[in-house]
């Protein structure tokens, strides 16, 4: 008689995306990211849970982390956690546990009382997995909206902040990501034809447009509509970028727009680089400690590692996974980490 598979599903409920990773016998076999803009209604998350139901087939345990409680659909983080826990209980099949970071895994009915630990703890799950499997590192996860930077040392996660407010202050959380960040949040002025042009204080374009123009964006990773709701093409992205500097696409040549896009991506990298130097201070003198990169922004993190003169290790190379699932699992690192961390739990 064949042994029954040990199936655990990890889920990261964000404000913009639901990330899911299915592990069978300690190996990620499928990972998936679905657009769930819950600021438009919680039905977006419920619909995604239904669409992904097949990933939960046969699972003995589902484990959840979340950042969606920050969505402005909720009056507070605690209210957001309570609402998301209700959806987990009602709309996700099977037994569930909630990841409460420093408090470990807890039952859903205990999680509300640990709201301060549950809130936005997805970074802790990924970093805990890296600490266990990669030793001393600078772990950097750039998603669609934010970038997490943590040191792992001596088999544990070393951090100065825990809450979002604390981590923003320490540089361990930088509010910039590979697709959703508005360009007005990257800079207030940009070089156009040799002069610094102030930017329009409007959401005319996102960093996804920049990375599309530079041909480094996987279109699968840009799951939200463009700022103007128009085509997500290079021409469309150039038109949106042009509006940011009060121009039309025809005002500059394609190479000139590409140079402007390169400048914006560089500005984003500089912001992350500054935070990385602060956070990596604990690794001073250990030049062999690598940068471990996760998330859809791994292209940017590779550049960061080169600037810091440190080796780069993809989170995908630390996990047991099928070839088809490996890259997507790295993009959904918190979900994959949870599924693997919980493999031996009862």
């Amino acid at each position: 008689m064949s042994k029954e598979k040990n199936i655990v599903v990890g889920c990261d409920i964000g404000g913009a995306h639901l990330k899911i990773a299915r592990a069978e016998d300690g190996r990620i076999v499928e990972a998936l990211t679905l657009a769930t803009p819950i600021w438009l209604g919680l039905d977006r998350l419920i619909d995604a849970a239904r669409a992904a139901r097949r990933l939960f087939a046969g699972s003995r345990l589902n484990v959840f982390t979340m950042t969606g409680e920050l969505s402005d659909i909720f009056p507070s983080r605690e209210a957001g956690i309570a609402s998301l826990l209700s959806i987990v209980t009602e709309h996700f099949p099977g037994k569930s546990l909630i990841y409460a970071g420093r408090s470990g895994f807890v039952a859903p009915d205990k999680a509300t009382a640990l709201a301060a630990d549950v809130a936005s703890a997805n970074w802790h799950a990924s970093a805990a997995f890296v600490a266990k499997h990669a030793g001393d590192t600078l772990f950097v996860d750039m998603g669609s909206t934010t970038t997490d930077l943590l040191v792992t040392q001596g088999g544990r996660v070393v951090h100065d902040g825990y809450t979002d407010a604390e981590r923003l202050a320490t540089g361990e959380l930088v509010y910039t990501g590979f697709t959703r960040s508005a360009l007005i949040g990257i800079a207030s002025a940009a070089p156009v034809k040799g002069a610094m042009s102030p930017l329009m204080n409007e959401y005319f374009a996102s960093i996804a447009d920049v990375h599309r123009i530079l041909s480094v964006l996987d279109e699968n990773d840009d799951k939200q509509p463009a700022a103007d709701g128009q085509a997500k093409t290079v021409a469309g992205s150039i038109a949106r970028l042009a509006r940011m500097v009060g121009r039309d696409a025809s005002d500059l040549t394609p190479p000139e727009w590409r140079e402007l896009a390169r400048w914006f991506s560089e500005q984003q990298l500089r912001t992350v680089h500054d935070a990385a130097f602060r956070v990596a201070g604990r690794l001073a003198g250990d030049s062999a400690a690598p940068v471990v990169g996760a998330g859809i922004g791994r292209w940017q993190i590779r550049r960061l590692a080169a600037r810091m003169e440190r080796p780069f290790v993809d989170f995908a190379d630390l996990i047991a996974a099928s070839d088809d699932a490996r890259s997507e699992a790295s993009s959904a690192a918190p979900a994959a980490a949870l599924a693997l961390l919980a493999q031996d739990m009862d």
Side-chain angles (χ1 to χ4, degrees), residues 110-291:
K110 305 292 184 185
T112 303
L114 291 168
D117 290 348
V118 171
S120 302
N122 60 350
W123 60 271
H124 194 283
S126 304
F129 181 88
V130 171
K132 182 177 179 181
H133 293 276
D136 295 358
T137 75
L138 173 64
F139 172 59
V140 184
D141 184 346
M142 177 180 281
S144 63
T145 314
T146 61
T147 301
D148 296 304
L149 302 100
L150 286 307
V151 164
T152 65
Q153 205 166 36
R156 63 189 185 92
V157 184
V158 182
H159 54 95
D160 291 320
Y162 188 88
T163 67
D164 284 335
E166 292 167 350
R167 296 177 63 239
L168 283 168
T170 63
E172 294 165 343
L173 171 62
V174 180
Y175 238 84
T176 191
F178 201 66
T179 57
R180 293 187 63 238
S181 295
L183 292 190
I184 194 64
I186 304 292
S188 58
V192 180
K193 289 188 173 293
M196 291 302 290
S197 170
L199 300 187
M200 297 288 198
N201 191 12
E202 290 279 359
Y203 179 47
F204 282 142
S206 73
I207 197 72
D209 291 308
V210 162
H211 291 135
R212 181 176 294 111
I213 294 168
L214 294 177
S215 301
V216 298
L217 174 67
D218 182 338
E219 290 297 337
N220 267 342
D221 291 333
D222 185 23
K223 298 183 183 298
Q224 305 296 336
D228 58 3
Q230 301 302 310
K232 293 197 286 187
T233 61
V234 171
S237 287
I238 287 175
R240 288 185 285 273
L241 179 60
R243 291 189 194 103
M244 291 301 304
V245 289
R247 294 174 179 264
D248 292 325
S250 58
D251 290 349
L252 274 68
T253 65
E256 287 175 318
W257 288 123
R258 186 176 175 85
E259 279 303 298
L260 182 57
R262 182 176 290 113
W263 183 88
F264 272 106
S265 187
E266 173 70 20
Q267 285 297 111
Q268 180 184 63
L269 179 57
R270 288 180 186 179
T271 300
V272 176
H273 193 197
D274 287 348
F277 260 106
R278 289 179 62 192
V279 175
R282 297 177 185 274
L283 297 171
D286 184 3
S287 60
V291 173

